[in-house]
Amino acid sequence: MATEKERLMENIVSLAKRRGFVFQGSEIYGGIAGMWDYGPLGVELAHNIKDIWWRMFVYNREDMYGIDASILMNPRVWETSGHTKTFSDPVIKCVKCKKQFRADQLDNKNACPACGGKLSKSQPFNLMFKTYIGATEDSDSISYLRPETAGGIFVNFKNVVDSMHPKLPFGIAQIGKAFRNEIAPRDFLFRLRELKQMEIEYFVRAEEWERAFEEWRLAMLAFAKEVGIPKKVIHELEVPESERAHYSKRTIDFEFDYPFGKKELWGLAYRTDYDLSRHAEASGADLTYFDEEENKRFIPHVIEPSFGVDRTFLAVLLSAYRVDEIKGEKRVFLAFKPAVAPIKVAVFPLLKNKPELVTKARNIYQMLKKHIPQIDFDDNGNIGKRYRRQDEIGTPYCVTIDFDTLEDNTVTLRDRDTTEQERVNEKNLLEILKKKLVSF
Ligand code: ATP
């Protein structure tokens, strides 16, 4: 028997597929482990998450610079950062069924959890995907799909300083794909092999790090609020020194209560001047910053807030999932904050077979669409079913055009969470919706 939490995950995965949020990667060929594809609604939800992040951390500040670096980089980047040597997980293989497991996640290291067979010794397994650049496949042409976006930020530090002349402290932000050849991809969007990250390297004077760390800790909690992840399901784990990366002086993991356990959602780390110093040493480039205020040159220290888009997406979906009862009937709905909702408004003519209603509804839809692009038009089936369909994808407001509209230009505006309806004048509709939708 599946537990309630297992059922919740099953319901989320099934809703995500049925309603066009997330599909299994290469599904018609039987899928491919660790890859998921975002469908028409998922791409909008993910876009909104990234948009809120960019607005909060780039547009709403004066000390942030965006970049978009290449996924394939000079392999020396990853040698210098230590990824080629140490970015690995311990793998154990079953001698009998050949299944592979992460050694640190096995309770019993003596028997295969799948078939009971004998297990091999634990071996480090590097998580970087290797590829070759150009026509020859030899050691000189090896490159890696980046395992984190941060590498692209560090190697562009000098370019941003030279082209933008930022004043310290300042940050560089990037959103993009990263790849990790995870031994055991699992739990839907939680452990992927192809993932998206939103990362910031925030450069500070050494003595400023504690204040900046605290500011970013609060900023990360503020972001959780903006995307609709309640504070009570986020737990800050102060990572003990013994478990921190050797260059990190302080790390906080922001954990989320997933149905499959309390696990990392985002991370915040103080990486000292480790990365820039290593890259300066290995590349020979001058990665110092000239501080005009103090009239001296030095390598800045860095605070790194790191967010996974996919884990955020999953946390937002889980946080929004609700089941209630309307007039004795079970209703599943997603209580998305308007800012993340993939569809903000749906417009319906009461009846499909009345051209005057359809025309009027389409005119209102077209008028709204110019201002609210994430909008839907639906004339299919009875009105109750249409409301349910929009509730299930988390549309905050529905607008229905009926015969009264033709007489007095009023429409019905329905609220997803309360299901309450009000009559509003068509000429005030856009302003009312804009006000209701602003949650940022
Ligand atoms: P974990 O311990 O769960 O493997 P990590 O500590 O290796 O995660 P980081 O290297 O700190 O993760 O990566 C930064 C962020 O990128 C994570 O907080 C998470 O949101 C996201 N992330 C990392 N690995 C994955 C993955 N395999 N699938 C989806 N998101 C990921």
Side-chain angles (χ1 to χ4, degrees), residues 34 83 87 89 102 105 127 147-148 178-182 185-186 188-199 247 251 253-254 258 263-268 271 304-312:
H83 281 80
F87 191 60
D89 280 336
R102 253 178 73 170
Q105 288 174 350
L127 300 186
E148 57 177 29
F179 301 81
R180 298 181 179 191
N181 200 359
E182 298 278 358
R186 61 169 73 176
F188 193 34
L189 302 173
F190 178 78
R191 193 163 297 288
L192 301 172
R193 286 181 168 143
E194 177 171 338
L195 53 131
K196 288 183 263 341
Q197 292 182 317
M198 308 181 278
E199 293 197 298
Y247 49 76
T251 300
D253 282 352
F254 289 80
Y258 296 97
K263 299 204 162 149
E264 178 171 332
L265 173 64
W266 308 321
L268 174 64
R271 298 174 70 126
E304 180 189 74
S306 179
F307 305 71
V309 175
D310 316 273
R311 285 189 192 177
T312 309

Side-chain angles (χ1 to χ4, degrees), residues 183-336:
I183 296 161
R186 61 169 73 176
D187 296 323
F188 193 34
L189 302 173
F190 178 78
R191 193 163 297 288
L192 301 172
R193 286 181 168 143
E194 177 171 338
L195 53 131
K196 288 183 263 341
Q197 292 182 317
M198 308 181 278
E199 293 197 298
I200 292 165
E201 301 302 332
Y202 193 73
F203 300 99
V204 297
R205 295 175 185 89
E207 63 275 15
E208 288 172 334
W209 82 265
E210 275 161 310
R211 201 188 56 203
F213 194 96
E214 179 60 11
E215 273 172 22
W216 280 105
R217 188 184 73 78
L218 296 175
M220 291 174 87
L221 292 174
F223 175 70
K225 189 165 176 223
E226 285 306 322
V227 293
I229 305 174
K231 220 173 161 193
K232 65 175 192 293
V233 285
I234 293 191
H235 309 278
E236 290 177 46
L237 173 77
E238 192 74 52
V239 180
E241 196 180 342
S242 57
E243 289 171 33
R244 282 199 302 260
H246 56 287
Y247 49 76
S248 172
K249 285 259 176 70
R250 187 178 176 198
T251 300
I252 290 181
D253 282 352
F254 289 80
E255 297 189 320
F256 177 81
D257 287 323
Y258 296 97
F260 42 85
K262 193 164 80 172
K263 299 204 162 149
E264 178 171 332
L265 173 64
W266 308 321
L268 174 64
Y270 168 41
R271 298 174 70 126
T272 67
D273 58 355
Y274 176 84
D275 303 86
L276 286 182
S277 301
R278 291 285 85 72
H279 285 303
E281 208 176 280
S283 66
D286 177 6
L287 300 184
T288 55
Y289 175 87
F290 181 67
D291 193 343
E292 282 173 12
E293 270 172 41
E294 297 187 6
N295 199 24
K296 65 175 186 199
R297 276 199 171 275
F298 55 89
I299 291 191
H301 283 224
V302 74
I303 306 289
E304 180 189 74
S306 179
F307 305 71
V309 175
D310 316 273
R311 285 189 192 177
T312 309
F313 185 108
L314 179 55
V316 167
L317 258 187
L318 286 163
S319 303
Y321 190 82
R322 304 270 190 290
V323 182
D324 67 357
E325 220 177 76
I326 303 291
K327 294 186 190 132
E329 225 183 273
K330 182 181 147 192
R331 168 176 86 137
V332 169
F333 72 108
L334 294 174
F336 286 139

